[in-house]
Every structure is written in structure tokens, then in C-alpha cells.
Amino acid sequence: MTDQAVSGKRARLRVAAQLRVVIYARVSKPGDRSIREQEKVGRRDCAENGWVVVAVFSDKLSASRYRKVQERPGFIAAMDFIRNGGAEMLWTFANNRAHRDLDDYVLLRRLCIDTRALWRYGQRTYDLSKSADRQATAADALRAEGLSDDISDAVNRSFEDKVDAGTPHGRLARGYKIVWDKDTGKAVGRKPIKAQAKIIRAGAERVLRLESLYSVSKDLAPAWKEAGGKGELTARTLRLILINPTYAGLRTHEGEVTGKATWKGVIKLDQHTRLRALLTNPARVTHRGSGPAYLLSHIARCGVCSERVVAKPRRRKGCVLDNYACPAGHVARSIARVDAHVEELLLQLLERPETLAQLNAVEEEVGGRTIDDELTEIAELRANLKNFVRDAARKKPPLSALVVGAYEDEINVQIAEADKRMKAMIGDPVVADAVGPDARKRWAKRDLVQRREVVRRVMSVMIVPVVRRGRYSAVGVEVDPIGALVG
């Protein structure tokens, strides 16, 4: 008897016997037959044939080569289960439940050949040690990947059209609802939910007044819940909303603003830009836990090692003194004395007419252009670059990479300049709100968290070693203006 005949006989014997079967089920989008339904069909099919189901594995992930998550834990576990001798057959509802990528099919085919495991889908059992079954499953694999490619191309074309038109795409943002066409029943747009939009606007205004995200979100959370807002309105959620261009009526793609959207913004464009400047500044420290107790802790630095100082109690002659101290012990200075000194210097700087004039001069350098002008120019430059690259590839002969690269570099320079002008138009909202003749009155109304934010934006504070002379010594604090106040 030939080897092929022996192999065929073994396969028939295995089918006739009570095979151990592992079921693999997968869904990747709404509308797919559910994992539970696939398992139910598989168990019924195995029971009718007298086979026993020994394990079930599943994934809720795409299997195409365009998938973002490359590894499918359930699929890997099912293959390992068979490889370790746990089952003689793999059951899937259809071949594309196991794969939509030829690379995955090749791995599965090799596994079935090496372990002599059978693969059943579509009410048919395949023995991949046989040439005819390999050809049949390979043809199905090609069709599955081809369909995946067609779907991907269609999605990309639709997405590009939506980006160009500024129409909605992706997950529905909090505070918005879908607008449906009465005749076709299709989604045609989005619009703000009035009650929720009002809460978002109130949050934006309060944060721009330097109230903390924590206190604002805590105050607005009950109203958000009452208005039917999605999820809890935490400090983190409020921050994500306020820096999201969607709420300013802007369309984005891969994190970049592509232009104005077709939906109405909840907050004004200039508010959104100021909020992004405030909430994404690297100097901003997100506070967790209890509130800060001192003005300069973790802000002022040691004049020796540049580490940020912390508040530490120090005992002297039976009393406890609160000091700012370097973690390495280089400097230690009275908190009350340092805070009073720095606060007075800060207020003198903020109320000087020259300071306000300096900030106004920065705004005047932009000229007569508005934020909308700069935003429109950025969108046009990006569209021009996209069209140029597309047309360059279609030319015969196509333009050289050197020419395309030079044009791209020039456009990117113009985009960067427009972006710089736009940011200069806004300036630093924290600083702008702090300066002026009434700087002391505004300072008195701020809480400690707000005062610390002003200090971070306006000056650097360095505590340096001093030589004690007699009963008194110098304060030993060096203060320098930073950011928009330098000049």
C-alpha cells in the first residue's frame, strides 16, 4: 500500500472515530454572526457527527492584514492547543473566521499538515495533507483576502472623501447626537445636545479663569449626569473634551486639524486654542491627591543641583519651622520668608505698565490676520501638498523624488509659519489674565492652585546658598521672568 493510500485510510479512520474538536470563533464588526452563535452551530455539527468538543477559543478582532492589533490571542491559543496534541480537528464557521490574510492561512496550513489535524468549515472537512484539499482551501483564502482588500479600499476612499468634505467620521463625541435623514434613514450629520453643550461651555469658561479641572468637573458632574451625558465627567474627561478640536467645529485626521467641519462647534475657536495652550503646556503639572499647601513647593529649584525643592519641617530651639529644602540637603529656607519675597516681586512685575505693553506688542506683530485666516491657509496648504504628490505620481514620466521632496519641505515651512502666527495671536491666556494695573486684586481672588499656575508661567525661582551674618541673612532667592515676559 502506498504512503498516500495509508494517509487516506488514516484520515477516514479519524473521521469515523470520536474526534476531539477545537472550535474557533471570531467577530470583527457589528453584523457578524456572534461568537455564541458560531459556537452553537459548531457544537451541533460536531454532535451530529459523533465528535466531542474539547475546547472553544474566540477573538473579537479583525483578521485582515490591515488590522491594527496584529496578534489574535484566541487564534494563537487554538493553534497551540492543536500543536500540543489537544485535538485532531479545527472547526470554524467559515474559512474567513480563521483568517483574512494569506500569511495566517499559510501558518494554519502548515500546522494541519504537520499535526495531521483536519479543518472543517462550511459543512465540509478538509485534510490538508491532500493536494486537492490544499488547493481548495488556498482558493478560499485568496478570495477572503481579496474581499478584505476591496473592503479596505472602499473604506479608505470613503474616509478621504469625508476628510475633504469635513463630514463626520468615527466615534460620536460626547455632547453630540447624530442627525438622520428622514427619507433615507441614513446619518447625515451631527449636532450638539443643547443641555450638554451648555455644561461643556461652562467648563471651558471656568478653566480659562484658571479654576482647576478637578473642582470644575466635580461641580458640573451632577448636571452632566442629569443632562444624560455619556460617562462620568471626571477631571480627565473634561480635559480631553476641552483640548479636542471636534468641540471647536474642526475636522481632524490622524491627530492633525484638516479644516472646518460640517457640524457646529460647542466652544469658540479662540477659546479652544487658549485651552489647548493652557492644558497641554509641558510646564503644567497635573495634581493628584490632596491640594498643594505651599506656593513654591516642586516649582522653585535648588541653586546647587537644580532639583525642585520640597516643603520640610525643621526643628530649632523647641519650635518647628516650615522650610523649602533641596532633597539633597544643599539649601533650606523659610517658606514664609521666601513666599513673601517672591510674591511681592511677582506682583510688581505683573502690574508694571511695561509688562502689559510688552504683551500687547507681541499680539500686534501678527498683523490684521485672524485665527480663521491662519486655519484656512493651513488647510489649503495641506490640500495643495496632497494634490501635488498625487499629480506627481500620475505624470509620465513621474516627477523625481527630489522635486517632490523639495516642494513638500517648502509647504511644511509655510504650514509651520502659519501655525506660529496663530499661536502668537493667542499668547498665553494665564499670563494675559494675570497682568495689569489690578494685578494685586486678581491675585487676591485666586486660590493656591491658580497662584501656582501663574508662577510657573511667569518666572523661574532659584533658592541659592547664602552666608549668614549675625542674626540675619539674605533671602537667597533669584527670580527671573520667563516665557512671554522675557524681553
Side-chain angles (χ1 to χ4, degrees), residues 93 139 143 153 163 195 262 267-268 284 351 377 392 405 421 431:
F93 182 77
R143 283 191 289 270
D153 290 343
V163 170
T262 56
I267 59 179
K268 295 179 181 179
R284 180 183 176 86
E351 65 188 356
E377 181 172 341
R421 290 195 300 269
V431 178

Side-chain angles (χ1 to χ4, degrees), residues 28-273:
S28 59
K29 65 181 185 300
D32 284 347
R33 187 179 289 266
S34 73
I35 288 174
R36 182 174 297 180
E37 288 178 307
Q38 293 177 45
E39 180 185 347
K40 184 178 179 181
V41 173
R43 288 186 179 277
R44 183 172 62 243
D45 185 34
C46 291
E48 290 173 353
N49 287 279
W51 306 325
V52 58
V53 176
V54 294
V56 178
F57 298 96
S58 63
D59 286 309
K60 292 184 178 181
L61 294 167
S62 170
S64 79
R65 65 191 183 90
Y66 303 101
R67 62 186 183 265
K68 294 181 179 179
V69 179
Q70 293 299 314
E71 299 295 342
R72 287 182 287 150
F75 181 67
I76 294 173
M79 294 183 69
D80 288 342
F81 191 83
I82 294 172
R83 186 177 292 109
N84 294 328
E88 293 84 35
M89 177 185 285
L90 171 67
W91 188 98
T92 60
F93 182 77
N95 74 303
N96 61 21
R97 295 304 84 195
H99 64 79
R100 283 185 179 274
D101 181 353
L102 283 178
D103 289 344
D104 289 342
Y105 164 73
V106 170
L107 292 175
L108 178 57
R109 185 180 76 164
R110 174 50 55 192
L111 171 70
C112 291
I113 293 173
D114 291 344
T115 62
R116 293 298 182 89
L118 304 175
W119 180 18
R120 182 172 175 82
Y121 62 85
Q123 299 299 311
R124 178 178 172 182
T125 302
Y126 297 90
D127 181 353
L128 298 190
S129 64
K130 295 180 179 180
S131 174
D133 286 359
R134 288 198 302 274
Q135 292 180 32
T137 56
D140 289 343
L142 282 170
R143 283 191 289 270
E145 184 172 87
L147 179 60
S148 177
D149 289 340
D150 292 342
I151 293 173
S152 177
D153 290 343
V155 170
N156 287 336
R157 286 195 299 272
S158 173
F159 182 73
E160 289 178 358
D161 291 342
K162 288 179 180 291
V163 170
D164 292 339
T167 52
H169 178 82
R171 183 181 300 177
L172 183 67
R174 291 181 175 89
Y176 280 88
K177 63 182 178 180
I178 299 175
V179 180
W180 304 96
D181 187 285
K182 295 181 179 179
D183 297 325
T184 65
K186 293 183 177 180
V188 295
R190 293 172 184 173
K191 68 177 183 180
I193 301 171
K194 290 184 179 179
Q196 297 176 23
K198 183 178 179 180
I199 296 170
I200 293 172
R201 280 192 290 269
E205 291 169 359
R206 290 181 59 177
V207 172
L208 284 174
R209 292 198 297 267
L210 297 186
E211 294 186 50
S212 71
L213 287 167
Y214 174 79
S215 62
V216 174
S217 61
K218 185 178 180 181
D219 289 347
L220 297 179
W224 177 258
K225 185 176 182 179
E226 185 178 346
K230 183 180 178 182
E232 296 291 331
L233 189 64
T234 62
R236 180 179 181 276
T237 301
L238 179 60
R239 179 184 181 278
L240 292 175
I241 289 174
L242 297 181
I243 65 174
N244 189 342
T246 295
Y247 295 91
L250 301 176
R251 186 68 160 78
T252 61
H253 175 50
E254 295 183 352
E256 296 288 337
V257 175
T258 58
K260 291 185 177 180
T262 56
W263 61 84
K264 184 180 179 181
V266 172
I267 59 179
K268 295 179 181 179
L269 181 58
D270 67 316
Q271 287 181 318
H272 166 70
T273 311

Side-chain angles (χ1 to χ4, degrees), residues 319-477:
C319 63
V320 179
L321 303 175
D322 288 330
N323 286 337
Y324 288 129
C326 164
H330 295 127
V331 296
R333 207 64 41 80
S334 166
I335 288 178
R337 193 176 180 192
V338 171
D339 282 359
H341 180 76
V342 171
E343 189 173 310
E344 180 58 30
L345 291 177
L346 172 64
L347 292 174
Q348 289 180 15
L349 177 65
L350 293 177
E351 65 188 356
R352 287 171 51 205
E354 294 85 351
T355 302
L356 188 59
Q358 184 178 336
L359 288 176
N360 290 336
V362 172
E363 294 181 359
E364 291 171 0
E365 290 175 2
V366 181
R369 293 175 64 84
T370 65
I371 294 176
D372 282 344
D373 293 335
E374 301 300 347
L375 188 62
T376 301
E377 181 172 341
I378 290 172
E380 290 176 352
L381 288 170
R382 285 180 174 147
N384 291 341
L385 178 58
K386 179 180 178 181
N387 294 334
F388 179 82
V389 173
R390 181 192 61 202
D391 295 341
R394 293 176 178 175
K395 286 183 177 293
K396 294 185 179 179
L399 295 179
S400 69
L402 185 63
V403 173
V404 174
Y407 181 81
E408 186 175 8
D409 290 342
E410 174 59 29
I411 293 297
N412 285 333
V413 169
Q414 294 182 37
I415 291 174
E417 291 175 349
D419 185 62
K420 184 177 179 180
R421 290 195 300 269
M422 184 171 64
K423 289 180 179 178
M425 224 172 281
I426 299 302
D428 190 323
V430 175
V431 178
D433 188 60
V435 300
D438 58 347
R440 292 180 185 268
K441 292 182 180 179
R442 295 185 184 185
W443 180 264
K445 294 179 181 179
R446 288 186 168 91
D447 60 27
L448 184 59
V449 173
Q450 296 168 340
R451 292 182 180 185
R452 285 168 59 86
E453 191 67 39
V454 173
V455 173
R456 286 193 190 98
R457 301 301 188 94
V458 170
M459 58 174 49
S460 70
V461 180
M462 193 79 72
I463 300 178
V464 298
V466 294
V467 177
R468 183 180 177 87
R469 294 181 179 178
R471 295 180 58 189
Y472 300 98
S473 62
V475 177
V477 176

